[in-house]
Amino acid sequence: DMGGHDTYMHKEISEQADAVDRVLRGRIDDRFSTVHLGGLNLDPREARGIRRVKILGCGTSYHAGMIGAGLIESLARIPADAEPASEFRYRNPVVDPDTLYIAVSQSGETYDVLAAVQELKRKGARVLGVVNVVGSAIARAADGGVYVHAGPEVCVVSTKCFTNTVVAFALLAVHLGRIRDLSVTDGKRIIDGLRKLPSQIQEILDGEEDIKKLAAEYAEAKSMMFIGRVRGYPVALEASLKLKEISYIHAEAYPASELKHGPLALIEPSLPTVAIVPDDDLLEKNRAALEEIKARSGRILAVAHTKQEKADHTILVPKNEDELDPILMGIPLQLLAYHTALAMGRDIDKPRNLAKSVTVE
Ligand code: F6R
């Protein structure tokens, strides 16, 4: 049932304020400015002993894991990174007893992720799942974890589950952080930010008509560049993936700082750039990248909290805490991909060559 929407993708994008509300519900502890996660199966002493976090997933779940790694590193101060599960399992990784491994999956059935979990368990590692489908293979194989509670996702491409997965990581990061060195003040700051997300998401969704107009303009591009820096880079990667999956427009994502090491050669009026420009300590650096693009006559669509002078268009997104801004910045770009694909007449819920869950190698 599409509940009055023309596609499942549109329905699922539109549901995100409620979905985020669900992942937060019952987990926040205001008394200690922390987060309780019932299924984690990790006691405080074990949580203190973690020296490193390695996050594994595929596709959109891998991108959510990249943002998750950033949240764990900045809030819990544990070195963390994400890697595609398929790469990890084929490179005979060194499995370290002090590393917490986290498998991320919407379906909980992606074969490469499941195989990575099984290999890790076989080697004695502790593996948590950040999974949407309750009771799925990856959820069962993991030692514990966090359910994402996005609800059923029918469209082949992932939208609401991406957002909820990142919020689940923010909860996990506060939980781990408050056992370690995250102060009460910072715990409360992030919790207050998390609580603001549903209404801010709704505000972005209410701006859909403007994004639709922009999409009509950008649907003529043969190729698009997406850039972001640190927190913004995984947002760029995910937006680029979404666009190519459903519109079949070629797109690539680069860290903004890498432009000058090669891809700047591509910039010309026919290659538009979508730039993620949060108002954080990297704002000036990001603005400098916009200037480099403008100097080569590149068209720029910025996603930012204030109008960007160098950009041809700015999609405005409400400001949250710096750590949580990436969650909001991904949402207008889901709508941009959606309306671009719609303008091109694509089969949005069932893009060519793709399946909802990849249960083969
Ligand atoms: C992107 C997409 C895929 C999946 C990937 C992992 O829109 O749908 O990239 O994210 O196949 O799937 P899950 O999360 O089910 O493991």
Side-chain angles (χ1 to χ4, degrees):
D1 172 28
M2 293 194 205
H5 297 268
D6 292 333
T7 59
Y8 280 107
M9 185 177 182
H10 193 268
K11 172 174 184 273
E12 289 158 9
I13 289 173
S14 305
E15 280 169 359
Q16 290 178 105
D18 286 344
V20 167
D21 205 54
R22 263 199 309 277
V23 66
L24 296 177
R25 201 172 303 153
R27 287 169 159 172
I28 291 173
D29 172 354
D30 287 303
R31 188 160 161 246
F32 291 103
S33 297
T34 190
V35 165
H36 294 304
L37 299 164
L40 214 51
N41 208 11
L42 187 71
D43 71 41
R45 193 166 304 172
E46 290 167 326
R48 290 199 70 90
I50 301 165
R51 306 277 299 259
R52 189 165 277 283
V53 174
K54 171 64 103 180
I55 300 170
L56 304 166
C58 296
T60 291
S61 289
Y62 161 57
H63 297 154
M66 286 177 78
I67 304 181
L71 284 161
I72 289 172
E73 200 157 289
S74 64
L75 298 175
R77 301 306 290 157
I78 308 171
D81 73 338
E83 184 177 340
S86 48
E87 286 287 288
F88 178 82
R89 64 181 278 247
Y90 285 120
R91 68 176 174 80
N92 192 23
V94 177
V95 172
D96 169 22
D98 299 329
T99 298
L100 174 66
Y101 295 87
I102 304 179
V104 189
S105 178
Q106 187 286 127
S107 61
E109 305 291 341
T110 301
Y111 186 77
D112 278 323
V113 183
L114 180 60
V117 172
Q118 290 167 338
E119 175 73 357
L120 281 165
K121 296 274 305 185
R122 196 182 60 76
K123 292 181 172 174
R126 178 187 286 274
V127 188
L128 299 182
V130 173
V131 172
N132 192 41
V133 176
V134 176
S136 55
I138 294 166
R140 280 183 278 124
D143 297 301
V146 186
Y147 278 122
V148 164
H149 295 312
E153 196 176 59
V154 178
C155 177
V156 164
V157 303
S158 183
T159 52
K160 64 173 177 171
C161 190
F162 172 78
T163 302
N164 265 38
T165 299
V166 179
V167 175
F169 270 111
L171 291 169
L172 179 60
V174 171
H175 173 83
L176 293 174
R178 290 286 297 119
I179 291 171
R180 300 164 69 111
D181 295 323
L182 186 71
S183 68
V184 175
T185 311
D186 277 330
K188 182 171 183 318
R189 180 175 65 79
I190 299 299
I191 285 169
D192 290 346
L194 288 167
R195 284 208 172 101
K196 278 188 212 148
L197 286 173
S199 65
Q200 291 182 319
I201 289 172
Q202 197 52 50
E203 200 180 310
I204 295 169
L205 296 173
D206 291 342
E208 181 170 357
E209 277 309 308
D210 292 335
I211 297 170
K212 185 174 171 179
K213 284 185 202 127
L214 285 173
E217 249 178 77
Y218 288 88
E220 276 141 43
K222 283 222 159 52
S223 178
M224 279 173 90
M225 178 70 79
F226 289 78
I227 59 167
R229 203 182 287 263
V230 189
R231 296 187 189 105
Y233 175 50
V235 176
L237 277 171
E238 174 56 13
S240 135
L241 176 63
K242 219 85 300 174
L243 183 75
K244 63 190 122 186
E245 284 181 296
I246 57 170
S247 74
Y248 318 145
I249 293 176
H250 170 257
E252 51 183 316
Y254 261 92
S257 51
E258 280 289 300
L259 271 185
K260 56 180 171 295
H261 299 292
L264 207 50
L266 294 171
I267 301 296
E268 46 140 0
S270 70
L271 180 82
T273 299
V274 175
I276 315 300
V277 191
D279 192 353
D280 60 12
D281 47 353
L282 297 171
L283 181 61
E284 289 314 315
K285 296 264 176 219
N286 283 320
R287 286 199 172 135
L290 301 190
E291 249 166 76
E292 286 171 15
I293 296 164
K294 224 45 243 170
R296 277 107 189 146
S297 311
R299 276 200 296 157
I300 302 171
L301 171 58
V303 180
H305 301 116
T306 53
K307 189 173 175 333
Q308 297 303 304
E309 294 306 331
K310 292 288 164 197
D312 299 273
H313 304 277
T314 306
I315 298 176
L316 291 174
V317 172
K319 179 83 183 94
N320 197 299
E321 296 303 322
D322 290 354
E323 293 90 337
L324 304 178
D325 283 333
I327 299 169
L328 295 168
M329 297 196 124
I331 290 172
L333 297 176
Q334 296 172 347
L335 285 170
L336 185 77
Y338 178 80
H339 283 290
T340 305
L342 196 67
M344 296 173 83
R346 303 302 194 206
D347 185 355
I348 286 173
D349 282 338
K350 288 198 168 52
R352 68 187 183 199
N353 310 341
L354 300 179
K356 183 66 182 160
S357 71
V358 185
T359 52
V360 293
E361 266 185 89

